[in-house]
Amino acid sequence: MLRPSRGPATPQVMTIERYPSLAHWGAFTALVEDGRVIGCEPFGRDPAPSPMLNAIPGMVHSPLRIGKPAIREGWRERKPRTGQDTFREVSWDEALDTVAEELTRVRTTHGNTAIFGGSHGWSSAGRVHHARTLVRRFLFLGGGAVDSVGNYSFGAAMYLLPHVIGTFAPVTGKATDWPVLIENTKLIVAFGGLALKNGQVTSGGAGLHVMEQWLRRAKEAGIEFVVISPLKSDAPEFLGAQWIAIRPNTDTALMLAMAHTLMSEGRHDAAFLQRYCVGFDTFERYLRGEDDGTPKSAEWAEQITGVPAAAIRDLARRSAGTSTILSCAWALQRAHHGEQPYWAMIALAAMLGQIGTPGGGFAFGHGSMNGVSSPRADLPAPETAAPPNPARSSIPVSRIADMLLNPGQEYDFNGKRATYPDIKLIYWGGGNPFHHQQDINRLRRGWQKPDTVIVHESWWNPVARHADIVLPATTTLERNDVGGCSRDPYIIAMHRALNPVGEARNDFEIFRVLAARLGYEQAFTEGRDEMGWCQHVYDEVRKGAAQKGVELPGFQQFWTEGHVELPAPTKNFVLFEDFRRDPDKHPLKTPSGKIEIVSETIAAFGYDDCPKHPAWLPAAEWLGDVKAERWPIHLVTNQPPGRLHSQMDPGTVSQSFKVAGREAIRINPEDASRRNIAAGDVVRVFNDRGACLAGVVIDPAVMPRVAAMATGAWYDPSETDGPERHGNPNVLTLDVGTSRLAQGPSSLTALVEIERWEAAPPQVRAHMRPAFAGADRARKA
């Protein structure tokens, strides 16, 4: 039967709505049409927006989103967590009841130190929904838990620098401002490089990406650049930098040889060393080899570093003859004995005598993150603090596998001796340990030890797939927040742009409901809802600014306008300027009040892996070691250009850098030819710890006997004993502390071999959903 005609249809006009927001890769406006994010428009004042913004819409609406709470089949029977498990979707009530019961059971039976609050990584740029803070707040108010201290970014420096210069603030980006450097500096020596890709990200997000802008201005001002790295690409071509190719993990030897040259040729600043430092006489004996019989000469260093002695002496003389900044990337201290290059560089800078001057001294992180040396008024950034931890228990963050595998074992850390707790429950929200932890095969063994693993996640990534109870969390665009960081002049209002995808809830709400079940909702919320916390965080910034004479607009104006710009600083910052002007009136927060080239505090710890002054201590694996006969390639693992660590790995930008569907490995042409490897081949990268498959890029900018792989490919273990399929290099890296002092990660210490994969490559399954009980719902992203 024919239906009656209703006349021509009236076309619907969809309205595009705009919502300000912030990510670690920049501020932006989310464009939303019919409840979907269709684009991300960069912040209008950003001179160099990150292309990673383009991946956000696809990730928000990805088929990998976790739609409902889920419980792993086999959890109750204590079957191993394989990452290939089947899950059963459940209601929120069942999931929350189960979580509350498990927390109560473990606390009652084993105590609060049987719970590990495992949250680490660059989670939300917003402070209200900052996952690590919320996990700690929830667990600490509930009675306490084992916490983690330090970080994977600059963990060794974080605990060394207070002993040497009284603070670790310079490693967080607080260095002499760029306008001062541009006006006064003549030479920048960058140990570890100045890679622009690292300038795409800022912890806490930023309105302005300024790394390239400042480097170009520095070049135009006539500053010369020397980049010391195994990778020529660690400096942008426009700098015209001199590239000194160095064996990985040997920068300390190069610095010591430069110091020896200054000393032996009388080019060091004895007056500065006498007035502003302690311990140089002991360090001088070490440089001369008076105690060990080995002068730390340029010829000595050439055998270790591969850098010609003449080039070492020339660099030392050039550094002494002009206004020089010595800069060190974070990467150098993410290696075995990673404390030593930072300490050695400070000692070298002290010998040059330019610390505290406008054009000289030292800096950290110029090639590691956006915002370093960017002028910013000394005003607060948005933040929320965790309450005290009643359990009073923590471990160094990168020692998680040690803790899980060795309960009851004693360990040393920064002058104290502690014991690893026996963990029965892991509560994880924010961060991906199957990305940032070294030797993932070892972590995976430890991951089987607890009774229960609870995870908040937005996507079915490796940590979700290795969990027992998975609670779906919203993304940034599905909640309200306030963001900003200490190295950028903008505070950003982060507006909720769309309803939660599926049944996702924000972390604050999940913890609020759990706290209510456990009897401390009021303590957790302090009587504030989400918007109440947004206003509280902003009002704290406003209050701190007012105490320094800066009036910021009220919350409602800020929220309506979407951002507030802090005023420019009235005076450019020079690192240690006050200390240099009057070290008695402005002493450092060290025992001596001075730069400690020798630290008697560290000496008293008695650590043979971190002596009382900078020293050459060979890494457990390096190209000068006998192990290199079997494993002849040093694997450098670095920050990827198309994602932040493992975030948005399934996204379009990250995928554009894959080779043969896997993470790329960059190999020198000589090493490739010797192994009959061609560009685009799939290769097996392996050592005693594990193996992974990767796609080959032939790159003459990688020095011979070195290969480079970005970290963060979602971990994709084989169901058999085969190699990890997707190219996660942390199946290969060394999981030992940098030293007993800092116990930082040693991820840049790894020797490997590479061979062409001759068989048909296995399918990559990293970006597929898990199986679900009762339905065949596995779908590829």
Side-chain angles (χ1 to χ4, degrees), residues 167-494:
T167 176
F168 68 84
V171 81
T172 67
K174 194 171 180 61
T176 299
D177 286 347
W178 272 115
V180 178
L181 301 181
I182 288 169
E183 185 176 348
N184 297 281
T185 304
K186 302 301 180 185
L187 175 66
I188 294 179
V189 180
F191 293 90
L194 298 163
L196 285 182
K197 63 180 175 58
N198 298 341
Q200 293 183 3
V201 296
T202 312
S203 182
L208 307 177
H209 289 91
V210 292
M211 180 178 175
E212 180 175 354
Q213 171 183 287
W214 287 118
L215 287 176
R216 287 188 180 276
R217 288 183 59 182
K219 178 63 177 177
E220 291 166 3
I223 297 178
E224 293 185 72
F225 289 85
V226 176
V227 168
I228 300 167
S229 170
L231 311 176
K232 187 177 182 180
S233 58
D234 273 344
E237 290 187 9
F238 66 77
L239 287 182
Q242 176 189 357
W243 177 36
I244 295 180
I246 187 171
R247 289 174 183 152
N249 293 186
T250 67
D251 296 78
T252 300
L254 177 62
M255 296 171 188
L256 294 174
M258 290 176 66
H260 182 277
T261 299
L262 297 179
M263 176 202 65
S264 62
E265 296 182 1
R267 298 175 186 265
H268 61 298
D269 190 330
F272 181 90
L273 293 165
Q274 176 66 31
R275 187 177 186 199
Y276 298 94
C277 306
V278 294
F280 178 71
D281 52 346
T282 300
F283 184 57
E284 183 178 21
R285 286 179 57 86
Y286 174 74
L287 293 176
R288 294 186 186 279
E290 293 183 16
D291 296 324
D292 62 8
T294 303
K296 310 309 177 291
S297 65
E299 287 74 18
W300 165 83
E302 178 178 359
Q303 300 305 309
I304 296 170
T305 64
V307 179
I312 297 173
R313 284 191 292 267
D314 175 69
L315 183 58
R317 293 164 185 162
R318 288 170 62 195
S319 300
T322 191
S323 296
T324 302
I325 284 285
L326 304 179
S327 178
C328 211
W330 293 349
L332 268 66
Q333 49 85 66
R334 290 197 293 263
H336 195 214
H337 305 312
E339 297 84 0
Q340 299 309 312
Y342 269 42
W343 202 350
M345 193 184 76
I346 292 171
L348 179 60
M351 293 178 69
L352 292 173
Q354 300 178 31
I355 296 172
T357 65
F362 62 85
F364 304 109
H366 277 125
S368 303
M369 185 177 69
N370 178 59
V372 178
S373 286
S374 295
R376 185 188 188 274
D378 186 18
L379 298 173
E383 64 177 356
T384 54
N389 182 6
R392 304 181 69 178
S393 177
S394 62
I395 63 163
V397 66
S398 69
R399 299 296 91 224
I400 180 173
D402 285 355
M403 174 187 71
L404 295 174
L405 290 167
N406 304 295
Q409 178 178 295
E410 292 187 333
Y411 66 97
D412 292 303
F413 175 46
N414 199 25
K416 297 181 180 179
R417 194 157 183 81
T419 302
Y420 288 123
D422 189 0
I423 299 299
K424 302 299 182 182
L425 184 150
I426 293 175
Y427 204 124
W428 201 282
N432 174 10
F434 290 88
H435 146 65
H436 54 58
Q437 182 64 28
Q438 301 76 52
D439 194 350
I440 291 179
N441 291 324
R442 185 170 184 264
L443 172 67
R444 203 176 181 206
R445 293 193 295 273
W447 204 254
Q448 309 303 324
K449 296 288 186 176
D451 299 342
T452 304
V453 176
I454 303 166
V455 166
H456 294 200
E457 249 305 332
S458 302
W459 297 275
W460 283 108
N461 67 5
V463 68
R465 295 182 66 147
H466 282 83
D468 299 313
I469 306 171
V470 182
L471 305 180
T474 55
T475 66
T476 295
L477 292 177
E478 296 154 60
R479 58 202 186 208
N480 295 300
D481 215 325
V482 176
C485 77
S486 62
R487 305 310 308 156
D488 184 78
Y490 289 95
I491 310 297
I492 304 294
M494 303 167 64

Side-chain angles (χ1 to χ4, degrees), residues 5 15 37 132 143 151 153 160 283 288 324 459 474 495 511 522 568 583 599 606 727 772:
S5 172
T15 301
V37 183
R132 175 167 164 77
N151 61 44
S153 296
L160 169 75
F283 184 57
R288 294 186 186 279
T324 302
W459 297 275
T474 55
H495 290 195
F511 285 130
Q522 176 63 30
S599 169
F772 291 88

Side-chain angles (χ1 to χ4, degrees), residues 17-224:
E17 300 170 299
R18 303 165 65 85
Y19 300 89
S21 195
L22 180 68
H24 294 299
W25 40 92
F28 64 97
T29 298
L31 307 179
V32 177
E33 184 178 59
D34 194 24
R36 292 184 65 88
V37 183
I38 61 170
C40 292
E41 186 177 89
F43 187 53
R45 305 183 190 187
D46 192 344
S50 170
M52 284 189 275
L53 295 176
N54 296 325
I56 291 176
M59 289 301 297
V60 169
H61 302 290
S62 168
L64 287 169
R65 286 296 300 270
I66 301 172
K68 298 185 66 173
I71 295 177
R72 183 177 68 90
E73 294 284 280
W75 162 52
R76 296 288 190 186
E77 294 77 30
R78 296 295 308 276
K79 292 182 179 178
R81 303 174 184 95
T82 67
Q84 318 289 339
D85 299 296
T86 298
F87 287 82
R88 175 174 59 90
E89 291 182 328
V90 299
S91 69
W92 268 105
D93 280 341
E94 180 179 346
L96 294 170
D97 286 344
T98 304
V99 169
E101 290 166 4
E102 273 301 284
L103 286 167
T104 301
R105 179 188 70 81
V106 172
R107 280 201 170 109
T108 302
T109 306
H110 303 286
N112 291 326
T113 56
I115 299 171
F116 180 62
S119 175
H120 198 84
W122 295 38
S123 46
S124 170
R127 297 297 98 178
V128 172
H129 294 289
H130 185 251
R132 175 167 164 77
T133 303
L134 288 174
V135 169
R136 296 165 88 197
R137 181 177 183 80
F138 170 72
L139 292 176
F140 294 177
L141 289 173
V146 177
D147 193 16
S148 59
V149 295
N151 61 44
Y152 285 87
S153 296
F154 46 82
M158 191 172 184
Y159 289 98
L160 169 75
L161 294 184
H163 294 297
V164 179
I165 57 174
T167 176
F168 68 84
V171 81
T172 67
K174 194 171 180 61
T176 299
D177 286 347
W178 272 115
V180 178
L181 301 181
I182 288 169
E183 185 176 348
N184 297 281
T185 304
K186 302 301 180 185
L187 175 66
I188 294 179
V189 180
F191 293 90
L194 298 163
L196 285 182
K197 63 180 175 58
N198 298 341
Q200 293 183 3
V201 296
T202 312
S203 182
L208 307 177
H209 289 91
V210 292
M211 180 178 175
E212 180 175 354
Q213 171 183 287
W214 287 118
L215 287 176
R216 287 188 180 276
R217 288 183 59 182
K219 178 63 177 177
E220 291 166 3
I223 297 178
E224 293 185 72

Side-chain angles (χ1 to χ4, degrees), residues 554-566:
F555 177 74
Q556 290 304 324
Q557 180 181 343
F558 157 71
W559 194 257
T560 299
E561 295 179 354
H563 69 268
V564 64
E565 182 179 8
L566 303 179

